Amino acid sequence: MNLHQLTLAALNDHRLFTILDLAGTFAFAISGAVAARDRGLDWFGVVVIAFTVACGGGVLRDLCIGAVPPAGLTDWRYLAVAMTAAWMTVAAGRLVARLAHPVILFDSLGLGLFAVTGAQKAIIYGHGAEVAVLLGVVTAVGGGVTRDVLLTRVPVILQREIYALAALVGASIEVAGERLGWLSSGRTWVALMACFALRYLSLRYKWNLPRPSGSQDNDG
Amino acid sequence: MNLHQLTLAALNDHRLFTILDLAGTFAFAISGAVAARDRGLDWFGVVVIAFTVACGGGVLRDLCIGAVPPAGLTDWRYLAVAMTAAWMTVAAGRLVARLAHPVILFDSLGLGLFAVTGAQKAIIYGHGAEVAVLLGVVTAVGGGVTRDVLLTRVPVILQREIYALAALVGASIEVAGERLGWLSSGRTWVALMACFALRYLSLRYKWNLPRPSGSQDNDG
Amino acid sequence: MNLHQLTLAALNDHRLFTILDLAGTFAFAISGAVAARDRGLDWFGVVVIAFTVACGGGVLRDLCIGAVPPAGLTDWRYLAVAMTAAWMTVAAGRLVARLAHPVILFDSLGLGLFAVTGAQKAIIYGHGAEVAVLLGVVTAVGGGVTRDVLLTRVPVILQREIYALAALVGASIEVAGERLGWLSSGRTWVALMACFALRYLSLRYKWNLPRPSGSQDNDG
């Protein structure tokens, strides 16, 4: 915990970080719980997968910046949020099912939230811009990859979709804004919405990046 | 190693911890070696998988509590125990095959042992009750999940079985007993047997938790 | 960063370590990029997989020895090397395709390089021989296993091939040579070539280790 050198401004960042991080936890937990329920797991399995998916990326981030034990394990609010999300998914199953593609919606939201908070936490711990951007992507992508690996299906990140790129854009805006001195609340919403919009619109309108095999003309 | 503040009582805990942790390593190594052999791996692959399965959960626990390098890598006894278990599985293959479901038996034993030792180590390192319970589950479940991910099959934890719940019960008894001041040997055996019995009996009598999709009546 | 106690000799080791580690990153990034391209990923996915495969083993090693944040995230050269390798794979696709089994070639090279550098870094950080050998294997095997898990196929390490054994031989030579006082450059090339040759020749001439099920006669 090398947090003692935080200034007041950073403390405000820290409070905003916690709120957004819990929101991302909630979003990814819903996404994990729906996927687990659709695979026919029992209710305890649904809670475990929801918690794992919600905290997987954050735990990896915390291990990488030396913030041990990871917040997902020490802060009871993460567990409470994940359990609430899992319970809501199970209890309000018919409501969630009525939403169009709830996994995709909450997965996109969690992607944006974690891209921002992953970058924020690395900055709060005093690391450089490259580490912050990369850990934003790791935090954002970690949950979904963990979910897909545990459910033994090809990770979303590997399909022809804009996924990690959206996280990269969100984390980059957050870090660039911090370096340029933008107000934390302003840059955070821009970064969050940019990542969420890029991911969600790419799914809705089937935007895809070109494949290497298709780009026969050399782009040197 | 921030172990210097250990009292004599904690040192006794520590010795018991080491014995149980090595026993869990042995049990999970057998479970991993049998699974690897059944997939037709060569003898070196059997040793690697046995060691990975046996130490996967513990390494993850040690990374989360900042006990680096993880004991599975620094303490040669873990490697020796895993290699012995792998060798026994290969050498005494026909004997092991005659046992009914040896993977399941040793996996259940390892689950109980690691649920207890994972929680114990977190307590020894001075962490709170929630971290201890969660890391008990992580340690216990980590080995089996690692084995299943490496063998590209759906993790046992995802099937309709009482697996992570048994680990949760074991870790909770251990932590609650420690908080209530029970003698370490007493609480450890109760926790270990509760987890093992719950897991093993649930397999034998096909106990299952209800699935969310089946529970249409709201349990609010 | 407990590097301040480094002597001049160790600093030379450190410089050689960096060069070899970047070479291993390049080799594994090519291997990952080719595999990702063959699965039809878009160009961003190819970069992500190339970077993940190239740095997966090293990140795991750095977490285990407490070198946080891991070098793969803090040192921009790793990212630059991985991106260059991914770009070369895409841009010079037809050239790479003409090489016989480029994934296997670069995978073997990366295996040898990372077996050596993984062991070296553990020694530089002051850990014992067993940790150094094991982390050499972890670093070497981590990239390939990560690639195979993400592409949801059975890890190469599980097939009937000499893979982790080659890494073990390379890491053992490096550590034994360091203990016996061999010059770092000499022992490193011997260790590197031994691992690479063992892996590559075993593939070419289909050397295999015996399987446990086939060895019915007791080898006690």
Side-chain angles (χ1 to χ4, degrees):
Chain A
M1 288 286 177
N2 51 357
L3 287 172
H4 40 73
Q5 73 277 35
L6 286 176
T7 62
L8 195 66
L11 265 174
N12 281 332
D13 277 16
H14 197 231
R15 196 177 305 132
L16 180 64
F17 160 78
T18 303
I19 295 168
L20 294 177
D21 210 39
L22 287 171
T25 302
F26 185 80
F28 266 145
I30 293 260
S31 140
V34 171
R37 192 200 53 185
D38 290 350
R39 284 287 285 258
L41 305 196
D42 59 47
W43 64 263
F44 190 75
V46 169
V47 172
V48 169
I49 296 297
F51 184 60
T52 306
V53 170
C55 292
V59 166
L60 193 53
R61 174 203 59 207
D62 286 355
L63 291 180
C64 284
I65 61 175
V68 292
L73 301 178
T74 47
D75 192 334
W76 62 270
R77 292 175 297 183
Y78 288 91
L79 183 59
V81 162
M83 288 179 72
T84 305
W87 175 81
M88 280 176 60
T89 305
V90 173
R94 271 176 285 196
L95 184 70
V96 172
R98 222 169 279 156
L99 296 168
H101 310 303
V103 178
I104 286 170
L105 180 73
F106 283 102
D107 191 68
S108 302
L109 205 56
L111 190 78
L113 286 162
F114 277 162
V116 169
T117 61
Q120 276 180 347
K121 188 156 188 178
I123 290 173
I124 289 174
Y125 271 72
H127 296 299
E130 191 204 333
V131 177
V133 170
L134 287 176
L135 283 179
V137 175
V138 165
T139 311
V141 165
V145 169
T146 306
R147 179 194 62 215
D148 294 338
V149 166
L150 285 180
L151 295 172
T152 59
R153 61 189 192 191
V154 180
V156 174
I157 200 182
L158 293 185
Q159 293 162 357
R160 284 189 66 211
E161 287 170 2
I162 291 170
Y163 190 80
L165 181 60
L168 178 64
V169 168
S172 299
I173 291 176
E174 171 70 23
V175 172
E178 192 267 346
R179 285 295 132 100
L180 296 173
W182 297 356
L183 282 179
S184 70
S185 52
R187 71 170 189 258
T188 295
W189 294 120
V190 171
L192 171 56
M193 287 316 299
C195 176
F196 174 74
L198 184 55
R199 169 68 184 149
Y200 195 73
L201 292 176
S202 77
L203 279 172
R204 193 169 179 94
Y205 296 105
K206 300 193 191 306
W207 292 344
N208 284 310
L209 293 172
R211 287 198 244 179
S213 52
S215 63
Q216 292 293 359
D217 46 325
N218 200 322
D219 51 350
Chain B
M1 289 288 175
N2 49 357
L3 288 171
H4 41 74
Q5 74 275 34
L6 286 176
T7 63
L8 195 66
L11 265 173
N12 281 332
D13 276 17
H14 197 230
R15 198 176 305 130
L16 181 64
F17 159 79
T18 302
I19 295 167
L20 294 176
D21 210 39
L22 288 171
T25 302
F26 185 80
F28 265 144
I30 294 260
S31 140
V34 172
R37 191 200 53 185
D38 289 350
R39 284 287 285 259
L41 304 197
D42 58 47
W43 64 264
F44 190 74
V46 170
V47 171
V48 169
I49 297 296
F51 183 60
T52 306
V53 170
C55 292
V59 165
L60 192 53
R61 174 202 59 206
D62 286 355
L63 291 181
C64 284
I65 61 176
V68 291
L73 301 178
T74 47
D75 192 334
W76 63 269
R77 290 174 298 183
Y78 288 90
L79 183 59
V81 162
M83 288 179 73
T84 305
W87 175 82
M88 281 176 59
T89 306
V90 173
R94 271 176 285 196
L95 184 69
V96 172
R98 221 169 280 157
L99 296 168
H101 311 302
V103 178
I104 286 169
L105 180 73
F106 283 102
D107 191 68
S108 303
L109 204 57
L111 190 78
L113 286 161
F114 276 162
V116 169
T117 61
Q120 276 180 346
K121 187 157 188 179
I123 291 172
I124 290 175
Y125 270 72
H127 296 299
E130 191 205 333
V131 177
V133 170
L134 287 177
L135 284 179
V137 175
V138 165
T139 311
V141 165
V145 169
T146 304
R147 178 195 61 216
D148 294 339
V149 165
L150 286 180
L151 294 172
T152 60
R153 62 189 191 190
V154 181
V156 175
I157 198 182
L158 294 185
Q159 293 163 357
R160 285 190 66 211
E161 287 171 2
I162 291 171
Y163 191 80
L165 180 60
L168 178 64
V169 168
S172 299
I173 292 175
E174 171 70 24
V175 172
E178 193 268 343
R179 285 294 132 101
L180 297 173
W182 297 355
L183 282 179
S184 71
S185 51
R187 70 170 189 259
T188 294
W189 294 119
V190 172
L192 171 57
M193 287 317 298
C195 175
F196 174 75
L198 183 55
R199 168 69 183 148
Y200 195 72
L201 292 176
S202 77
L203 279 172
R204 194 169 178 94
Y205 297 104
K206 300 194 191 306
W207 293 344
N208 284 310
L209 293 171
R211 286 199 244 179
S213 52
S215 63
Q216 291 292 358
D217 46 326
N218 199 322
D219 52 350
Chain C
M1 288 288 174
N2 51 357
L3 287 171
H4 41 73
Q5 74 275 35
L6 287 175
T7 62
L8 195 65
L11 266 174
N12 282 332
D13 276 16
H14 196 232
R15 197 176 305 133
L16 181 64
F17 159 79
T18 303
I19 294 168
L20 293 177
D21 209 39
L22 287 171
T25 302
F26 186 80
F28 265 145
I30 293 260
S31 139
V34 171
R37 193 200 51 186
D38 290 351
R39 283 287 284 259
L41 304 197
D42 59 47
W43 65 264
F44 190 75
V46 169
V47 172
V48 169
I49 297 297
F51 184 60
T52 307
V53 170
C55 292
V59 166
L60 193 51
R61 174 201 60 206
D62 286 355
L63 291 180
C64 284
I65 61 175
V68 291
L73 300 179
T74 47
D75 192 333
W76 62 269
R77 292 175 296 185
Y78 289 90
L79 183 59
V81 163
M83 288 179 71
T84 304
W87 175 82
M88 280 176 59
T89 306
V90 173
R94 271 177 285 196
L95 184 70
V96 171
R98 221 168 281 158
L99 295 168
H101 311 304
V103 178
I104 286 170
L105 180 73
F106 282 102
D107 192 68
S108 302
L109 204 57
L111 191 78
L113 286 161
F114 277 162
V116 169
T117 62
Q120 276 180 346
K121 188 157 188 177
I123 291 172
I124 289 176
Y125 270 72
H127 297 298
E130 189 204 335
V131 177
V133 170
L134 287 177
L135 283 180
V137 175
V138 165
T139 310
V141 164
V145 169
T146 305
R147 180 194 60 215
D148 294 339
V149 165
L150 285 180
L151 295 172
T152 60
R153 61 189 192 192
V154 181
V156 175
I157 198 181
L158 293 185
Q159 293 161 358
R160 284 190 67 211
E161 288 170 0
I162 291 170
Y163 190 80
L165 181 60
L168 179 63
V169 168
S172 300
I173 292 176
E174 171 70 24
V175 172
E178 192 268 344
R179 285 295 132 100
L180 297 174
W182 297 355
L183 281 180
S184 70
S185 52
R187 70 170 188 259
T188 294
W189 295 119
V190 172
L192 171 57
M193 288 316 298
C195 176
F196 174 74
L198 183 55
R199 169 68 183 147
Y200 195 71
L201 292 176
S202 77
L203 279 172
R204 192 170 180 95
Y205 296 105
K206 300 193 191 308
W207 292 344
N208 284 310
L209 294 171
R211 288 198 243 178
S213 54
S215 63
Q216 293 291 359
D217 45 327
N218 200 324
D219 51 350

